[in-house]
């Protein structure tokens, strides 16, 4: 790891002593070799991203609770891993400008930390976690709708593929580019939206992206040539990626550890049901007098409604940006211009920004077995989600003779399977919480993997079921439809718990691990539909599904291996922190610390 990475980890350890118990003074910490900065530079970086001084009641100041410290730590580590480590001034070779008016530079503030605005304890009403339950639920519903629209737009174009190809006189594969380019936008969008949400707040990112998303949906609907339609679809996906990248962070801002897992489960269900709700709606639109352009008009109208709701009612949830507004109000009322929030000290370093969002995710992808193998697994599953948009019409429209609208209704089998997976995870949550409490609230990442294993087995069986019941018209259509119960269950169970595993395993580098995962799986989602028709036509539905089922079965051992050996693999990692173990006598069996 470079020095910035090491400073981030130091802040993580300083802020979470329960996660990483301190060693005794006579023990030696083993660290990875590498270049080191001077002690002065290290101390500056630690001050920039580390915890603020903790006051005591004996000093007449507020004593920070564990919750307040955790919130400060979470906000600063999130920011550090997305946009850089913080407030260190950039090197500037230009001469310092004069102060002006013949006045000398004023003396520095006596103690800068005394002028930094913070939250007033864990119950500060400014903090989003202290909002009323009603306000949290309404905000979650509003953002859930925003995310649903983005996911919905990704697949509704699949119903218009043949109509678009016919109108513009191109092949069906070229028409499919409208679907693939949108998903490709999902891969590139988070590069912009994640850092922007950390710098300027969640609300700014969501509102800007919502406007761009709506604009490009109407552009696709009115495009007079194919290239306009395809480019509009790509940029629609680029702007539509914002809710997928940022809304989960908003939920993390609003909900504490006890309820965050359930909130993220609901969010994930919204993300993955959206693409499955669209095909039958799009099918009925294309079959009607409205034509394919209204598939884009509908999404544009939905996007406009979501944008107006977000513009009028969405409040900022990101704590550092909330403090910026609080500091601005205090400055205005007190005329004390030294008052500021820590976020206002940030100077964005473009090179560091690129490192956080480009080079580090790629380093994790090629050097970390956990990130690489889970990303391959999840990319395959995600690719099949969009491949089903081609496979289902082949079975239910070509073989069973349904029209485009009715032929999209069997996707409800997969939707029901995803709801069952969400219920399954809900049921497991109390047991997970008990294990967490028994382990002094220190999560063990491998606890997340049993649902992934179960989901992998179910997904593989569902593919065999779909293929061998859907290739003949004399087998009732309900048989392949019901296979969606298993494939939908596996899809959500694998995705949700695998992401949770990456977060638990990589902690302060989780954003980079998920960025690497998102990039790889979005490429798979964009590529798989392109060969789906050729594969199913060439091999037949039964054998194409058998091939996919065999690949899915071959990937099932990945979470099993990590469940058994994951702790040893993480101990050898340069990025996954491993807390030292203590036996009953108090001696430590420390992991490798970097």
């Amino acid at each position: 790891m470079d020095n910035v990475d090491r400073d981030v980890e130091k802040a993580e350890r300083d802020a979470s002593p329960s996660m990483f118990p301190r060693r005794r003074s006579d023990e030696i910490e083993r660290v990875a070799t590498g270049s080191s900065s001077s002690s002065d530079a290290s101390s500056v970086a630690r001050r920039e991203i580390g915890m603020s001084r903790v006051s005591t009641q004996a000093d007449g100041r507020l004593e920070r609770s564990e919750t307040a410290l955790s919130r400060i730590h979470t906000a600063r580590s999130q920011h550090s891993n997305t946009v850089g480590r913080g407030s260190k001034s950039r090197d500037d070779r230009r001469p310092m400008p004069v102060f002006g008016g013949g006045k000398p530079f004023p003396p520095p503030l006596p103690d800068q930390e005394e002028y930094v605005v913070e939250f007033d304890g864990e119950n500060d009403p400014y903090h989003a976690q202290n909002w009323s339950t009603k306000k949290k639920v309404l905000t979650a519903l509003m953002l859930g709708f925003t995310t649903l629209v983005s996911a919905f737009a990704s697949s509704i174009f699949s119903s218009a593929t043949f109509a678009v190809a016919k109108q513009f006189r191109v092949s069906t594969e070229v028409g499919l580019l409208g679907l693939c380019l949108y998903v490709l936008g999902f891969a590139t969008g988070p590069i912009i939206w994640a850092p922007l949400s950390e710098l300027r707040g969640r609300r700014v990112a969501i509102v800007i992206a919502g406007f761009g998303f709506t604009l490009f949906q109407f552009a696709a609907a009115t495009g007079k040539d194919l290239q306009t339609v395809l480019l509009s679809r790509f940029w629609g996906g680029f702007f539509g990626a914002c809710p997928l990248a940022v809304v989960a962070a908003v939920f993390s801002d609003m909900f504490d550890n006890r309820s965050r897992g359930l909130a993220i489960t609901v969010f994930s269900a919204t993300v993955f049901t959206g693409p499955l709700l669209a095909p039958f709606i799009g099918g009925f639109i294309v079959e009607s007098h409205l034509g394919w352009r209204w598939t884009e008009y509908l999404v544009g109208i939905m996007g406009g409604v979501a944008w107006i709701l977000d513009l009028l009612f969405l409040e900022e949830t990101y704590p550092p940006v909330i403090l910026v507004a609080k500091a601005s109000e205090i400055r205005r009322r007190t005329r004390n211009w030294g008052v500021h929030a820590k976020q206002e000290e940030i100077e964005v370093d473009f090179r560091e920004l690129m490192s956080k969002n480009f080079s580090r995710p790629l380093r994790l992808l090629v050097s970390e077995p956990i990130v690489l193998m889970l990303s391959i697994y999840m990319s395959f599953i995600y690719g099949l989600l969009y491949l089903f948009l081609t496979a289902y019409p082949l079975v239910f429209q070509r073989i069973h003779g349904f029209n485009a609208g009715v032929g999209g209704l069997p996707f409800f089998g997969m939707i029901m399977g995803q709801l069952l997976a969400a219920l399954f995870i809900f049921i497991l949550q109390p047991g997970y919480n008990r294990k967490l409490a028994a382990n002094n609230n220190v999560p063990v990442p491998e606890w997340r993997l049993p649902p992934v294993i179960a989901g992998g087995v179910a997904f593989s069986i569902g593919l065999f079921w779909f293929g061998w019941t859907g290739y003949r018209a004399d087998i009732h259509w309900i048989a392949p439809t019901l296979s969606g119960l298993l494939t939908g269950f596996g899809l959500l169970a694998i995705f949700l718990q695998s992401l949770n595993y990456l977060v638990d395993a990589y902690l302060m580098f989780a954003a980079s691990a998920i960025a690497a995962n998102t990039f790889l799986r979005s490429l798979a989602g964009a590529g798989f539909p392109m060969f789906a028709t050729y594969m199913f036509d060439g091999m037949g539905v039964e054998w194409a599904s058998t091939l996919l089922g065999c690949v899915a079965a071959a990937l099932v051992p990945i979470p099993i291996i990590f469940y058994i050996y994951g702790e040893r693999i993480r101990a050898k990692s340069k990025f996954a922190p491993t807390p030292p173990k203590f036996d009953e006598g108090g001696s430590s069996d420390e992991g490798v610390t970097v």
Side-chain angles (χ1 to χ4, degrees):
M1 290 189 294
D2 57 25
N3 293 322
V4 174
D5 294 342
R6 197 171 294 109
D7 289 335
V8 171
E9 188 196 17
K10 177 65 167 59
E12 181 86 19
R13 294 175 180 277
D14 289 344
S16 301
S18 61
M19 177 74 75
F20 304 104
R22 300 289 185 184
R23 295 176 176 83
R24 300 196 310 268
S25 60
D26 60 338
E27 292 176 338
I28 299 175
E29 180 181 7
R30 289 186 281 128
V31 297
T33 59
S35 61
S36 60
S37 60
S38 67
S39 59
D40 290 341
S42 299
S43 62
V44 169
R46 284 193 290 270
R47 286 197 300 271
E48 288 165 357
I49 63 174
M51 299 303 301
S52 300
R53 171 174 49 81
V54 180
S55 303
T56 62
Q57 290 177 341
D59 292 334
R61 299 184 177 93
L62 177 69
E63 181 178 4
R64 290 177 183 157
S65 66
E66 182 180 350
T67 301
L69 289 173
S70 175
R71 288 174 179 173
I72 294 171
H73 148 65
T74 299
R76 294 191 180 178
S77 62
Q78 280 178 339
H79 186 285
S80 178
N81 284 290
T82 307
V83 299
R85 61 180 172 181
S87 56
K88 184 178 180 180
S89 296
R90 297 189 299 267
D91 293 333
D92 201 331
R93 298 181 180 179
R94 295 175 298 176
M96 174 72 75
V98 298
F99 198 72
K103 295 183 290 187
F105 282 96
L109 296 174
D111 185 355
Q112 187 169 325
E113 279 296 315
E114 295 296 333
Y115 290 82
V116 174
V117 173
E118 296 187 29
F119 289 106
D120 187 23
E122 61 179 295
N123 297 316
D124 190 325
Y126 278 88
H127 201 288
Q129 289 189 10
N130 297 322
W131 288 356
S132 66
T133 302
K134 178 181 178 181
K135 185 175 181 178
K136 290 182 182 180
V137 170
L138 290 177
T139 301
L141 290 175
M142 180 169 59
L143 293 177
F145 175 69
T146 302
T147 307
L148 179 67
V149 172
S150 177
F152 183 89
S154 69
S155 62
I156 195 169
F157 195 83
S158 65
S159 305
T161 298
F162 293 104
V164 169
K166 181 179 179 181
Q167 177 173 336
F168 294 109
R169 298 179 181 179
V170 295
S171 66
T172 304
E173 288 71 29
V174 174
L176 268 174
L177 287 174
L179 168 66
C180 299
L181 288 174
Y182 188 96
V183 181
L184 191 62
F186 279 175
T188 56
I191 295 170
I192 300 297
W193 304 121
L196 180 62
S197 74
E198 304 286 354
L199 279 171
R200 297 291 179 257
R202 320 294 194 198
R203 185 180 186 277
V204 170
I206 290 172
V207 169
I208 292 175
F211 178 77
F213 173 82
T214 303
L215 191 67
F216 280 104
Q217 300 313 307
F218 286 114
T222 57
K224 294 183 179 180
D225 48 50
L226 181 62
Q227 54 265 38
T228 301
V229 174
L230 296 182
L231 286 173
S232 297
R233 285 288 295 174
F234 171 79
W235 287 109
F238 177 86
F239 285 98
C242 180
L244 276 64
V246 176
V247 169
V250 175
F251 283 13
S252 296
D253 295 338
M254 290 194 300
F255 298 100
D256 59 20
N257 291 330
R258 293 185 298 272
S259 54
R260 185 178 299 138
L262 301 182
I264 297 298
T265 300
V266 174
F267 164 75
S268 299
T270 303
V271 171
F272 291 110
T273 55
L276 303 178
L277 286 172
F280 84 92
I281 297 175
F284 283 120
I285 291 175
V286 173
E287 291 285 326
S288 72
H289 67 282
L290 296 174
W292 71 267
R293 292 185 184 273
W294 269 94
T295 61
E296 301 303 300
Y297 278 124
L298 174 62
V299 177
I301 294 170
M302 294 170 65
V305 171
W307 177 70
I308 291 173
L309 289 174
D310 294 335
L311 180 67
L312 296 179
F313 301 110
L314 179 62
E315 297 184 24
E316 184 56 60
T317 63
Y318 188 47
V321 176
I322 293 174
L323 291 177
V324 170
K326 182 179 179 181
S328 177
E329 182 177 359
I330 292 175
R331 283 197 302 269
R332 180 179 60 84
R333 292 189 178 188
T334 64
R335 303 292 178 179
N336 186 341
W337 307 115
V339 174
H340 66 283
K342 205 71 177 175
Q343 186 81 353
E344 295 176 285
E345 299 177 6
I346 299 300
E347 293 185 12
V348 179
D349 187 315
F350 183 77
R351 287 178 299 179
E352 192 169 355
L353 192 67
M354 293 300 99
S355 173
K356 302 296 182 185
N357 296 279
F358 285 100
S359 65
R360 182 187 286 165
L362 292 178
R363 277 189 290 158
L364 281 165
L365 191 61
V366 300
S367 65
E368 292 293 310
I370 291 177
V371 177
L372 176 62
M373 298 309 297
L374 278 182
S375 294
I376 291 174
Y377 192 12
M378 296 169 69
S379 297
F380 175 75
I381 301 298
Y382 194 73
L384 289 191
L385 170 65
Y386 286 94
L387 181 142
F388 282 138
L389 300 178
T390 300
Y392 268 56
L394 290 176
V395 169
F396 295 103
Q397 294 178 39
R398 182 187 297 181
I399 295 177
H400 288 280
F402 295 168
N403 62 36
V406 176
L409 292 175
F411 281 109
F412 274 93
M414 290 184 66
I415 293 173
M416 292 302 299
Q418 292 182 4
L419 295 178
L420 289 174
L423 179 62
F424 177 62
I425 294 172
F426 274 132
I427 294 173
L428 293 180
Q429 190 66 30
Y432 177 84
N433 289 339
R434 285 193 296 270
K435 289 194 291 186
L436 193 63
N439 202 42
N440 295 321
N441 290 322
V442 177
V444 175
E446 284 70 33
W447 291 343
R448 302 284 193 180
L449 291 178
V452 180
I453 298 170
V457 173
F459 190 81
S460 179
I461 295 174
L463 289 173
F464 289 113
W465 183 349
F466 175 76
W468 290 97
T469 59
Y471 75 105
R472 290 168 47 182
D474 59 342
I475 300 176
H476 198 278
W477 57 265
I478 195 63
T481 300
L482 291 178
S483 71
L485 294 175
L486 292 182
T487 51
F489 177 91
L491 179 70
L492 188 64
I494 293 169
F495 253 88
L496 181 59
Q497 295 301 82
S498 293
L499 287 176
N500 283 331
Y501 178 69
L502 288 175
V503 171
D504 287 347
Y506 287 92
L507 292 177
M508 58 278 194
F509 299 115
S512 296
I514 292 176
N517 179 274
T518 300
F519 178 76
L520 192 61
R521 63 182 167 87
S522 295
L523 292 180
F528 273 43
M530 297 301 297
F531 63 78
T533 301
Y534 290 108
M535 184 175 70
F536 278 90
D537 284 345
M539 300 179 65
V541 172
E542 68 275 34
W543 291 111
S545 298
T546 298
L547 174 62
L548 296 174
C550 290
V551 175
L555 294 174
V556 170
I558 290 176
I560 297 176
I561 291 171
F562 290 149
Y563 184 75
I564 299 173
Y565 301 106
E567 184 176 2
R568 301 182 202 174
I569 296 173
R570 288 186 290 109
K572 299 177 182 178
S573 169
K574 295 181 179 180
F575 292 93
T578 305
K581 298 179 181 179
F582 288 83
D583 60 26
E584 295 180 358
S587 63
S588 67
D589 179 16
E590 57 181 285
V592 177
T593 306
V594 294

